[in-house]
Amino acid sequence: MGDSETVHVGALSAQFENILLPFGLIVDRMTLTAKEASAQLEPFSLEMDHPASVEAIVHESSLEKFVRLKAPDNVRIESVVVRPEGIMVEAVVRVLLEFRGIAKCRLRVESGSRLMVELVDVGVLGVGAKGLVQNQIEGMNPVLDTATLPFQITLHEAKLEHGFVRVTGE
């Protein structure tokens, strides 16, 4: 291909919405911002001279759908609430009897490539509930592994805000 088929860009900003990842999580919005990119026209490809910054937003409702999808048959998810102090998951667990509880979790980035859920606390009536919830979380982790994405990304931070999770990287 000659230079006539290449477009050079001084800056690039792209926004993607409602991205269904292969493992079932919906990313409500992802914004990619880069400097100095080149695009080949036929077939279309995009190459960035420097790492792009990426911001992904997952709303509470999308996170709740994902948690319901991943919950085992004996767990009924009542609600998922995202606040700066943690993600609160209210659920009913059936183990001979039904136990209602709230698990408080946080997110952390591991090695720049994996987004992990950490259990902070469990408020529930029942013996051994914290261990049961911890086992369920370990079975879900990592909730995001960048190796499963169709592009390379290094995760920097997962920040909990009122009603959504903001993940940043490059």
Side-chain angles (χ1 to χ4, degrees):
M1 275 188 224
D3 280 342
S4 63
E5 296 177 13
T6 301
V7 175
H8 298 282
V9 180
L12 169 76
S13 181
Q15 183 168 302
F16 307 90
E17 295 185 7
N18 300 317
I19 306 156
L20 177 59
L21 297 177
F23 52 89
L25 178 65
I26 294 173
V27 175
D28 293 281
R29 185 177 71 240
M30 182 181 289
T31 305
L32 177 97
T33 307
K35 294 181 181 178
E36 300 176 13
S38 299
Q40 295 292 323
L41 301 179
E42 295 272 337
F44 182 79
S45 67
L46 185 63
E47 186 175 312
M48 289 166 256
D49 297 339
H50 306 285
S53 64
V54 177
E55 178 184 79
I57 301 293
V58 178
H59 290 281
E60 204 169 69
S61 59
S62 296
L63 189 57
E64 183 170 332
K65 288 176 189 172
F66 177 70
V67 172
R68 287 179 193 272
L69 177 72
K70 295 297 182 181
D73 291 341
N74 67 327
V75 176
R76 184 175 73 242
I77 304 300
E78 298 289 318
S79 67
V80 174
V81 177
V82 179
R83 296 290 177 262
E85 60 274 11
I87 300 171
M88 275 58 83
V89 179
E90 183 178 0
V92 175
V93 180
R94 288 181 306 278
V95 183
L96 297 177
L97 300 172
E98 285 193 353
F99 299 99
R100 178 177 295 277
I102 297 177
K104 181 178 179 183
C105 304
R106 64 178 164 233
L107 298 174
R108 71 175 166 80
V109 173
E110 182 180 276
S111 304
S113 63
R114 294 162 42 115
L115 189 58
M116 307 293 282
V117 176
E118 288 183 333
L119 181 63
V120 175
D121 192 25
V122 176
V124 69
L125 300 172
V127 178
K130 188 168 185 175
L132 177 66
V133 173
Q134 184 64 48
N135 288 339
Q136 294 302 320
I137 288 174
E138 287 173 9
M140 276 180 27
N141 273 330
V143 291
L144 173 62
D145 188 338
T146 60
T148 64
L149 299 176
F151 49 85
Q152 214 175 14
I153 184 173
T154 300
L155 301 175
H156 292 298
E157 180 183 38
K159 187 174 181 184
L160 303 177
E161 303 199 18
H162 288 279
F164 65 95
V165 176
R166 179 188 313 271
V167 179
T168 57
E170 62 180 20

